[in-house]
Amino acid sequence: MKSPFPGMDPFIEGCGLWEDFHTHLIEEIYRKLADVVPDRYVVRCGERNYLVVASEEIPKQRSFKPDVTITASPGSDVAADLEEGVAVAESVELTMRAFSEEEFREPFVEILEDGPESRLVTCIEVLSPSNKRPNTLGWEQYHRKRQGLLRGHAASLVEIDLLRGGRRMPMLDPWPPSPYTLLIARASRTPLCKVLRAHFRTRLPMIPVPLLRPDSDIEIDLQPMIDAIYLRSKYDRNIDYTQAMTPPLSAEDIAWLEQHLRQ
């Protein structure tokens, strides 16, 4: 079964499928670009790796009801000790967090000018949830890279945000009120950026990928890539479209989805 959404399927994000989807989408973008770039360019996949301490928000301790209790009959020596508070142990279980680290891997695609220096021409990023959580390693690493590209005027950036959750990247101007955004920052025009709005109820727009002059942009069509990933990965087997999502859909979007599911 194909997705009921003409555009990006928001349930991929809400049903724990994003990591798998993200990897496949990067592969599809790489294949498309590698097949069509002029001979003066090469296309490569890169990856950001970082470690995060796991389970940081687990409570350190909780009250504990013991499995064994001691009772004493009135007047006994044990009862007297209990009344006087002698040698009474507090029954508390401590839950300690073991030190464990989780590795995050965030792939991206780069177009390079072929030659000894392998000059970076354009970087294509598909944002991960960690990139949209301020004050985390994922956010800090990507924000640092993003600022370097936008300030350096040496390479272009294509930023694909297909996540409804999290906080969007900082901009001087407000982002448009759409679920998804596609940003194209040309090296020659930064800090001015072109932003395309995208929605799950309509087909995703074509994205222009800048190259060096005098070469024309390469346009990539994300929609057939997303549709193919959905079918190939059989996501419909893991998605229950009757369940509520986080972030929740609006009442209008829920009514629209119910109609499409009936069809």
Side-chain angles (χ1 to χ4, degrees):
M1 185 183 96
K2 68 177 184 179
S3 169
F5 291 91
M8 176 63 192
D9 191 323
F11 280 80
I12 292 175
E13 174 187 355
C15 294
L17 299 170
W18 180 262
E19 185 175 356
D20 180 80
F21 170 79
H22 185 272
T23 300
H24 293 315
L25 184 57
I26 289 292
E27 293 168 354
E28 294 286 338
I29 293 172
Y30 161 78
R31 277 195 287 266
K32 170 62 179 178
L33 292 174
D35 287 343
V36 299
V37 292
D39 288 341
R40 65 183 290 202
Y41 305 99
V42 294
V43 182
R44 298 287 183 264
C45 284
E47 191 175 71
R48 278 186 302 278
N49 298 322
Y50 55 94
L51 297 175
V52 175
V53 177
S55 304
E56 291 184 337
E57 296 183 359
I58 296 178
K60 292 185 178 181
Q61 69 179 46
R62 61 181 175 84
S63 60
F64 173 64
K65 183 177 181 179
D67 294 329
V68 179
T69 59
I70 300 175
T71 61
S73 58
S76 66
D77 292 339
V78 174
D81 288 342
L82 290 173
E83 291 175 359
E84 295 176 7
V86 178
V88 178
E90 182 182 1
S91 296
V92 175
E93 179 189 79
L94 298 179
T95 301
M96 298 182 65
R97 299 171 295 169
F99 182 85
S100 61
E101 294 177 322
E102 183 176 359
E103 183 177 13
F104 284 81
R105 297 180 177 181
E106 296 175 352
F108 51 87
V109 178
E110 292 181 334
I111 300 175
L112 308 172
E113 186 178 23
D114 195 15
E117 297 182 359
S118 296
R119 172 189 171 190
L120 177 62
V121 176
T122 302
C123 181
I124 299 94
E125 291 272 357
V126 179
L127 296 188
S128 297
S130 56
N131 303 144
K132 300 182 70 175
R133 297 190 192 108
N135 304 318
T136 64
L137 274 176
W139 186 89
E140 290 173 0
Q141 287 201 9
Y142 177 65
H143 184 258
R144 190 180 306 119
K145 175 182 179 178
R146 187 178 191 264
Q147 288 295 98
L149 289 171
L150 294 177
R151 291 177 178 174
H153 305 286
S156 300
L157 170 66
V158 174
E159 181 182 271
I160 301 170
D161 184 0
L162 298 176
L163 293 164
R164 296 170 60 239
R167 185 180 299 178
R168 289 181 171 173
M169 291 291 105
M171 299 285 282
L172 285 178
D173 300 308
W175 286 97
S178 59
Y180 310 117
T181 55
L182 312 169
L183 178 143
I184 301 93
R186 298 179 184 274
S188 60
R189 298 197 63 195
T190 55
L192 296 178
C193 306
K194 178 180 180 179
V195 176
L196 304 174
R197 292 176 287 185
H199 204 283
F200 43 76
R201 292 168 61 175
T202 57
R203 195 182 193 281
L204 294 175
M206 302 283 284
I207 304 176
V209 177
L211 298 177
L212 298 174
R213 294 179 178 176
D215 296 321
S216 302
D217 296 346
I218 296 174
E219 287 200 331
I220 56 175
D221 190 355
L222 292 180
Q223 197 61 61
M225 299 180 188
I226 293 171
D227 295 342
I229 294 169
Y230 187 98
L231 288 171
R232 191 183 306 125
S233 302
K234 301 176 182 177
Y235 285 155
D236 60 294
R237 299 184 181 183
N238 300 105
I239 295 177
D240 182 355
Y241 287 103
T242 65
Q243 297 298 313
M245 277 201 317
T246 302
L249 292 174
S250 67
E252 180 183 355
D253 288 331
I254 292 174
W256 176 90
L257 175 59
E258 290 174 349
Q259 180 182 357
H260 271 65
L261 290 176
R262 285 195 298 268
Q263 295 173 351

